[in-house]
Amino acid sequence: MLFTSAVFLLFAPLMYVGWTLARSSPRLRLLLLTAGSFVFYAWGDPRHLPVLVASGLVDFVAGRWMARRRDQASLALAASVLTNLGLLAAFRYQALLQETAALLTGHSLPAAVDPAALPVGISFYTFQSMSYTIDVYRRRLEPTEDVVHFFAYLALFPQLVAGPIVRASHLLPQLRTPPRVTWADRWAGLTWIAEGYAMKTVVADHLAPWVERGFDLATVPAHTGWAWAVVAGFGLQIYADFHGYSAIAIGLGRWFGLDFPRNFHHPYLATSARDFWGRWHISLSTWFRDYVYIPLGGSRRGTPRTLANLWTVMLVSGLWHGPSWRFAAWGALHAAYVSVEHLTRWPDRLARVPGGRLLSGALTAACVTYAWTYFRAPTFEHAWAMSGAMLWPSWQPVPVHLWPQPVELAAAGGLVAWELTVALRLRHRLHATAPQLGHALDAVTVGLALAAAVLLRGPGSVFLYFQF
Amino acid sequence: MSPATRFLLAVLVAVAVLGGAPWWRGSDVPDAVQAARFYRTKALFRRQFDLVVAGDSRVARGVDPEAMRDVLGPIRIGNLGFDANSLVEPTYLAYLPTTLAEDAVEPTLVLGISPFALTPGSARRNGWLRFDAEARAVGPAAWMLGWEGLFAPLGLVERTGDADLQETYRPDGYLRTATPAHDPTARLARYRAKFDDNRVTSEATAVLLDAVQTWVARGIRVIAFRTEVGEPLRALEDARSGFDEARFRAAFEARGGVWRTLPDHGMRTYDGEHPVHAAAVRQSVALAEAIAAE
């Protein structure tokens, strides 16, 4: 079920009313949340639900197993991790195997699993599920004894299919005894939801045709400005799209009295690649930090080991996004950016120069934008052609229709302007000097954002991160 | 200001703007606006069909998705025909696959081939380019055209023109035409001029054939047929357009497309080119049967 579908606009209020009415019975609330989340997930294609349930049951049993037999905890953890990674490999990474075989031999392999059978959001819920068993194994979390409680966590509908990836240690206690929802929660939830829908339907959906035109071409025009415009358009589109989904999820969570972690923090205001990864898809990058980077030794074992760990995490993170070496290339580029920063400390040095932070921000944005080429291009050949046009100044004529249209520029400009108000702290300044006016302006802005999400919606596309 | 007050104020602002939208633009929708909305909306379809039929006005007026569904079953079919359209214009070709639903079991593009749509001249100036540009420029404003526009991609009322030509715009993109007039030579003079210095070329058709190859590689089934017209116009096109059907068909099939020749029904047109609704239904059923046989 899509957040932007009509059926969701019926489903969400029904869930909210049911949740509110069941306030006196925590057990009933968990049952309602679990059943509703299963309906949400199975809507449109119920074939995917058994995979979610099977994956969850293995992790629930593994948690119970560890609680009863600590001496066999490693075995239980291995069963959980192998099951989750096995599901990911079976459903997602056969395409990588096929691509590799085609690259090496020139022959394609037959698909063992129908690609259309890929369960939506499998990368999100398997990682969420693994965080449960790993935390139980590390004794940082008491395993739940209630399977309904566990599935209310794993299948929680607002963040089930596209995150944020919420840790079990963060969410399970909240689900057991959710705090009373106040008007402050409802207001905060509404602001997140309004921002999310506006980002998705007004910005991302208007930018989608611009990006599709640019990346759907058989021959890429060799025009540096055009190539940067197309890839920058995608950088803004994926931010508005994914941040939009996360914001709606966080807002819905607040209405149910649940606190989800923030997933994006104005990533294009980052002044270094390291800073970018502290702002982009935060729930995934912290997952990799805590469950991969730090166990590998993090930055405690010297520079060569630190760089090796960085590259491992970035490459795995790239492949998490898709079963193609293009995503690995995207991860490798970010690994290279962070490695250079680690060795040279150039952002810190540049920050000491007047205007240096602005310059390092611009350089970071350019590097991040360039890397998106490999993320979005349909093939390596296309990525190389686009990359060549970006890096080698060339100005071949580009047909007028391939340039961004006014409405697309307006969508991009609106997002950039919004980010600038954050960078310049305009809202903070207004609230500091005239709090009542600031509050009123907030309310009007939220109301206009909600109306814009209906009236000004673009041609549309599915949420990009659903494919991950 | 308390959170509850802010919440209420935000909801009031949203309701006021949404509620006021229809009044800002007025309530009556003139025929010209209906026509513009029809074609702009056809340029804004996104990922919603299992099967899409593309082409020019012969497709727009001659392929009825409802009639095709009688043969093919309850699948989602869209008609993307535009007046004076081109099948060798890159942005139109790029647009077509984006209208296929991601969950389409067997995504299919059907191309209604007419010789003019394969000429370089059609690529430079055609109905698609005009309405695509308008849709992008006024897309947001288009949503303001009425309540129905707020919640559905297309919510058109039936437009009845003058007594000679009644057109009904359908949300699936089909333009149903009814008229008592019947002049099989009405379009001949225009078509004689259309092919002056503007014949079908291999360079132009290569644009379409490359796209076909790309679509097939992406798992899309691509089918083509030649749109039916009155016999005098067909003879004129064969003589003056430079279109060699056998040669085009061979090249099309070599790129992975499937060619279908529809049975000759003696198409009843009102102007020698465009079918009335009954003839469109016959052509649509024949097309669907040819697709089902594939």
Side-chain angles (χ1 to χ4, degrees):
Chain A
M1 198 184 292
L2 289 171
F3 283 170
T4 47
S5 64
V7 68
F8 182 76
L9 298 181
L10 186 65
F11 170 84
L14 282 176
M15 285 296 292
Y16 182 70
V17 169
W19 175 261
T20 307
L21 292 177
R23 190 166 47 211
S24 57
S25 170
R27 178 73 183 161
L28 188 60
R29 276 189 156 186
L30 289 180
L31 278 169
L32 176 77
L33 207 52
T34 306
S37 297
F38 282 174
V39 170
F40 173 86
Y41 189 68
W43 195 268
D45 195 346
R47 288 176 306 164
H48 299 161
L49 186 59
V51 182
L52 169 71
V53 173
S55 162
L57 280 177
V58 167
D59 293 320
F60 174 74
V61 171
R64 299 301 313 139
W65 185 2
M66 283 188 249
R68 287 179 189 166
R69 297 288 304 271
R70 284 309 307 182
D71 58 318
Q72 295 179 357
S74 301
L75 201 58
L77 179 66
S80 162
V81 171
L82 286 176
T83 301
N84 284 297
L85 295 182
L87 282 173
L88 277 176
F91 282 105
R92 273 180 70 85
Y93 291 101
Q94 63 163 341
L96 185 67
L97 193 64
Q98 289 173 308
E99 182 183 303
T100 308
L103 280 172
L104 295 177
T105 67
H107 299 287
S108 56
L109 292 173
V113 178
D114 179 8
L118 173 69
V120 173
I122 188 170
S123 300
F124 287 95
Y125 69 69
T126 50
F127 269 47
Q128 189 154 307
S129 203
M130 277 194 287
S131 82
Y132 169 78
T133 47
I134 295 171
D135 282 353
V136 170
Y137 175 78
R138 291 174 171 176
R139 298 179 192 245
R140 291 177 184 172
L141 177 71
E142 279 298 313
T144 177
E145 298 175 4
D146 182 354
V147 73
V148 178
H149 184 208
F150 177 78
F151 274 107
Y153 154 70
L154 184 65
L156 190 59
F157 76 89
Q159 43 79 247
L160 170 59
V161 292
I165 300 168
V166 188
R167 308 285 177 83
S169 54
H170 185 74
L171 199 50
L172 276 174
Q174 294 188 58
L175 285 165
R176 178 69 77 193
T177 50
R180 192 178 178 82
V181 179
T182 64
W183 274 107
D185 291 318
R186 293 188 189 100
W187 165 244
L190 187 68
T191 60
W192 279 110
I193 289 169
E195 180 178 348
Y197 273 110
M199 281 277 185
K200 167 61 185 162
T201 65
V202 181
V203 180
D205 285 357
H206 274 301
L207 292 176
W210 167 3
V211 174
E212 283 173 14
R213 285 199 306 279
F215 280 103
D216 234 12
L217 297 170
T219 307
V220 176
H223 189 295
T224 302
W226 174 83
W228 277 99
V230 170
V231 182
F234 175 67
L236 295 176
Q237 183 204 357
I238 193 170
Y239 169 49
D241 190 284
F242 193 18
H243 170 51
Y245 189 96
S246 296
I248 297 168
I250 292 169
L252 287 170
R254 289 296 291 266
W255 278 8
F256 284 79
L258 304 171
D259 173 48
F260 297 161
R262 186 174 188 145
N263 215 16
F264 290 85
H265 189 65
H266 309 288
Y268 292 120
L269 300 181
T271 53
S272 69
R274 196 178 192 86
D275 186 20
F276 175 81
W277 280 104
R279 295 165 174 263
W280 179 272
H281 202 172
I282 300 166
S283 63
L284 180 71
S285 49
T286 52
W287 196 101
F288 276 117
R289 181 196 66 198
D290 295 345
Y291 297 114
V292 181
Y293 182 70
I294 291 175
L296 285 173
S299 57
R300 300 186 305 275
R301 299 187 185 176
T303 299
R305 184 65 182 267
T306 301
L307 293 181
N309 293 342
L310 275 174
W311 277 79
T312 303
V313 167
M314 286 297 182
L315 289 173
V316 173
S317 171
L319 286 173
W320 178 90
H321 285 84
S324 166
W325 292 113
R326 288 180 293 104
F327 291 102
W330 173 74
L333 274 171
H334 277 277
Y337 299 156
V338 177
S339 300
V340 170
E341 284 175 14
H342 185 81
L343 293 171
T344 63
R345 307 280 174 201
W346 71 262
D348 296 335
R349 295 180 185 185
L350 199 56
R352 295 184 204 121
V353 179
R357 284 181 64 79
L358 196 63
L359 187 58
S360 62
L363 281 171
T364 302
C367 289
V368 168
T369 300
Y370 173 73
W372 285 130
T373 311
Y374 292 87
F375 192 99
R376 176 57 178 83
T379 62
F380 256 123
E381 291 74 18
H382 198 113
W384 286 326
M386 193 68 98
S387 168
M390 292 169 83
L391 296 179
W392 301 108
S394 47
W395 309 99
Q396 283 181 6
V398 175
V400 171
H401 62 262
L402 290 182
W403 287 97
Q405 302 295 316
V407 71
E408 295 160 356
L409 283 175
L415 177 55
V416 171
W418 178 252
E419 294 295 303
L420 278 177
T421 64
V422 174
L424 299 173
R425 299 174 60 81
L426 294 183
R427 185 171 168 271
H428 287 281
R429 290 179 191 182
L430 180 62
H431 276 265
T433 52
Q436 289 301 319
L437 180 62
H439 285 151
L441 199 60
D442 284 350
V444 171
T445 306
V446 167
L448 291 176
L450 286 170
V454 177
L455 293 171
L456 303 182
R457 59 188 172 141
S461 65
V462 295
F463 283 99
L464 294 178
Y465 261 67
F466 269 34
Q467 61 190 295
F468 311 130
Chain B
M1 193 180 286
S2 71
T5 310
R6 276 177 272 166
F7 188 101
L8 189 63
L9 179 57
V11 171
L12 282 175
V13 168
V15 168
V17 174
L18 289 171
W23 280 273
W24 297 342
R25 55 150 290 276
S27 56
D28 59 326
V29 181
D31 286 354
V33 173
Q34 280 289 347
R37 285 187 64 196
F38 175 70
Y39 285 111
R40 283 176 197 149
T41 308
K42 285 175 81 160
L44 287 169
F45 286 138
R46 283 291 184 281
R47 294 187 173 93
Q48 60 199 79
F49 300 114
D50 300 296
L51 184 151
V52 158
V53 191
D56 56 16
S57 58
R58 298 175 193 181
V59 166
R61 291 169 164 78
V63 178
D64 178 358
E66 276 185 10
M68 292 180 74
R69 269 192 293 276
D70 289 342
V71 177
L72 297 173
I75 62 172
R76 297 162 291 183
I77 304 176
N79 181 321
L80 298 189
F82 286 84
D83 286 346
N85 202 23
S86 174
L87 284 171
V88 295
E89 202 287 311
T91 59
Y92 182 65
L93 299 178
Y95 169 61
L96 295 178
T98 67
T99 63
L100 292 168
E102 298 215 327
D103 60 351
V105 177
E106 194 170 21
T108 305
L109 290 177
V110 180
L111 308 173
I113 303 291
S114 67
F116 178 73
L118 301 178
T119 61
S122 73
R124 288 192 294 272
R125 186 176 176 184
N126 56 66
W128 154 258
L129 281 178
R130 175 190 158 194
F131 287 107
D132 177 47
E134 284 188 14
R136 291 182 196 291
V138 302
W143 295 111
M144 310 283 278
L145 289 175
W147 270 113
E148 69 276 22
L150 299 180
F151 302 107
L154 187 66
L156 295 163
V157 295
E158 182 169 314
R159 170 208 178 196
T160 52
D162 55 37
D164 289 337
L165 185 65
Q166 293 192 332
E167 294 180 332
T168 305
Y169 302 119
R170 282 238 306 264
D172 55 22
Y174 171 58
L175 182 52
R176 175 181 168 151
T177 312
T179 175
H182 176 59
D183 178 2
T185 63
R187 305 283 285 183
L188 290 180
R190 177 178 295 196
Y191 268 88
R192 280 195 192 97
K194 272 191 167 192
F195 294 116
D196 289 347
D197 299 325
N198 182 41
R199 291 162 63 86
V200 176
T201 64
S202 55
E203 290 79 13
T205 52
V207 175
L208 173 61
L209 295 172
D210 286 349
V212 169
Q213 190 170 12
T214 306
W215 296 333
V216 171
R218 286 166 55 178
I220 298 171
R221 187 169 57 147
V222 186
I223 297 169
F225 70 103
R226 185 164 175 180
T227 48
E228 283 191 76
V229 292
E231 191 50 43
L233 181 56
R234 170 85 179 226
L236 182 147
E237 287 182 337
D238 284 345
R240 295 179 63 96
S241 71
F243 177 59
D244 182 337
E245 184 175 318
R247 193 171 157 194
F248 176 81
R249 173 181 175 167
F252 178 75
E253 290 178 336
R255 302 297 185 100
V258 176
W259 182 270
R260 285 284 173 260
T261 302
L262 304 190
D264 183 3
H265 288 98
M267 171 74 87
R268 176 177 164 76
T269 67
Y270 57 86
D271 60 358
E273 180 181 12
H274 300 112
V276 294
H277 177 62
V281 168
R282 275 199 300 276
Q283 176 171 258
S284 306
V285 169
L287 175 61
E289 287 172 345
I291 293 170
E294 199 263 312

